[in-house]
Amino acid sequence: MKITMFTNTYLPHVGGVARSVKTLEDACRRRGHQVRVIAPEFDGAEDSPDVLRVPAIQHFNGSDFCVRLPFSHLIRDSRESFRSDLIHSHHPFLLGDTALRESWKLEVPIVFTHHTLYERYTHYVPLDSPPLKRAVIHLATDYCNLCDQVIAPSASIAELLRKRGVETDIEVIPTGIDAEAFGAGVGDRFRDRKGIPRDARVIGHVGRLAEEKNLLFLAEAVAGVLGSEPDTVFLLVGEGNARDKVLEILRQRAEPRQICLDGRLTGSDLADAYAAMDCFAFASQSETQGLVLAEAMAAGTPVVALDGPGVREIVKNGENGIMLPGDATALEFAEVLRRLMGDPARRREWAVAAQTTAESFSADRCTERMLACYERLVARKRHPLEVDAQPWEMLLRGLEIEWDLISAKAGAAAAAMGETPAEDSRLD
């Protein structure tokens, strides 16, 4: 099968979507399928014959995101050299629009994975406001209804999408992780490399250091533990523009030796980092799936987290970690961390349960489910683009595509003017 994936974020960008795309891409290739990824240019990206980089504005509005520029001839050339059997879109905007156009031009099925609660990222756009959030929700909902299949990374997101008016079939398929690789991490090796005492108690976190990840709350909670427990270390792995604010909060209560900051890690280095942690702390409520939670659990690391989408599907309260109410205070979060860090017997018990949980998120299981979905769609929609299609037919097809996209955007603009049932549907 030939699969083209369109994504607005891709490695070396640090983030869950970029890693999700790469994980699925690699797993499909291992099973003999051909995959082409179309993504924006990104600083430090390596050249690959399997990845088409389109021109983009780097560091849009001061963020670490890129915004593609409209150079359609590059994608047209790619379409002609790699005739896809199926297109998988990973965003509803920018290259997501292009993915729809390509699927309709080729008359092949299009799958969309709703990775993100987009209304929680509008602060990256100038003129952020409640109307903009409503418009974003409406756009994403309409985009789902223009696709042949929607993938929700968690049951929470599937339920939300149905409440918001998504009528396209929704299947829940999490992003898979390499559970075996994360389970093979060596914590002492990482501690020795970073100068963390082997007998220290380590609270850890991995992820993009961004405002929407609720990291200032997490920093307040962890700082409370570090200030009263001098033998505790906070290991923070990741990069992002919230880094300095997080460090400022931590340094008000903790000694420098209690803060270990590492940048973006991959492979065995990341697995070792997870294994070096005694517990994993997570406060984000903007997730659609808890990818880093599954990775931490694969390493045998229990989790303390706030209730939220993507979290409640992984954290089994009192079995593999603790899930606090979404409105818990930083003081309450700190107290739970303090109790768990002081109870090694419970951590060992939960570590075993955590690894069992992680097995259900293995890349093999999730990829097999995704490929089965692909095959059903391709079998159901076998209408390849006719090589000898007449110019008039091509024109009509193009006009139909653009009309649907314009209608979706007009609907979003109208939705921005007032509350809608879709905007009222929330997860927390």
Side-chain angles (χ1 to χ4, degrees), residues 104-342:
W104 290 338
K105 289 174 184 176
L106 289 169
E107 295 188 346
V108 298
I110 179 167
V111 177
F112 167 56
T113 296
H114 199 293
H115 288 285
T116 306
L117 294 173
Y118 298 99
E119 68 274 15
R120 300 188 183 182
Y121 287 71
T122 56
H123 56 275
Y124 286 113
V125 181
L127 305 177
D128 180 23
S129 63
L132 179 59
K133 294 182 189 298
R134 289 194 289 269
V136 165
I137 289 171
H138 195 92
L139 270 174
T141 300
D142 275 1
Y143 188 88
C144 288
N145 286 328
L146 291 172
C147 294
D148 296 298
Q149 176 73 54
V150 174
I151 304 297
S154 65
S156 296
I157 297 303
E159 180 182 0
L160 177 69
L161 295 180
R162 292 186 186 103
K163 288 179 179 178
R164 287 182 170 179
V166 173
E167 298 176 353
T168 299
D169 183 55
I170 303 171
E171 186 167 351
V172 178
I173 304 178
T175 295
I177 64 165
D178 190 339
E180 183 177 350
F182 285 112
V186 181
D188 285 344
R189 179 168 60 196
F190 187 89
R191 289 188 180 211
D192 291 346
R193 182 168 68 84
K194 299 300 294 186
I196 301 173
R198 291 196 176 191
D199 60 351
R201 293 181 293 183
V202 178
I203 300 170
H205 179 81
V206 174
R208 189 166 51 85
L209 308 185
E211 177 184 331
E212 63 276 2
K213 301 297 183 181
N214 204 19
L215 287 175
L216 303 189
F217 172 97
L218 184 65
E220 290 281 358
V222 172
V225 179
L226 299 180
S228 61
E229 305 288 341
D231 61 343
T232 300
V233 172
F234 183 44
L235 169 57
L236 182 60
V237 178
E239 299 173 347
N241 53 20
R243 174 184 181 276
D244 291 345
K245 290 182 180 178
V246 169
L247 289 177
E248 181 182 351
I249 293 170
L250 293 170
R251 287 167 177 165
Q252 290 173 0
R253 304 284 297 277
E255 298 293 329
R257 61 178 176 77
Q258 292 180 279
I259 305 169
C260 180
L261 179 65
D262 216 328
R264 184 175 69 91
L265 298 178
T266 59
S268 61
D269 289 337
L270 180 57
D272 288 351
Y274 279 122
M277 302 170 187
D278 291 298
C279 82
F280 187 87
F282 192 76
S284 175
Q285 294 179 296
S286 65
E287 307 303 307
T288 57
Q289 62 178 331
L291 187 60
V292 292
L293 302 183
E295 291 173 352
M297 288 188 182
T301 304
V303 170
V304 175
L306 292 179
D307 182 23
V311 175
R312 59 184 70 110
E313 283 84 3
I314 298 179
V315 180
K316 299 176 182 177
N317 201 32
E319 296 182 27
N320 58 17
I322 299 174
M323 184 171 65
L324 287 80
D327 60 355
T329 66
L331 285 175
E332 291 169 333
F333 199 102
E335 181 55 32
V336 169
L337 282 173
R338 193 177 288 109
R339 289 203 308 268
L340 182 57
M341 296 301 283

Side-chain angles (χ1 to χ4, degrees), residues 45-65:
E46 297 180 0
D47 290 335
S48 168
D50 298 315
V51 180
L52 172 65
R53 295 281 183 174
V54 298
I57 300 171
Q58 304 289 307
H59 306 295
F60 177 74
N61 200 34
S63 71
D64 57 351
F65 293 106

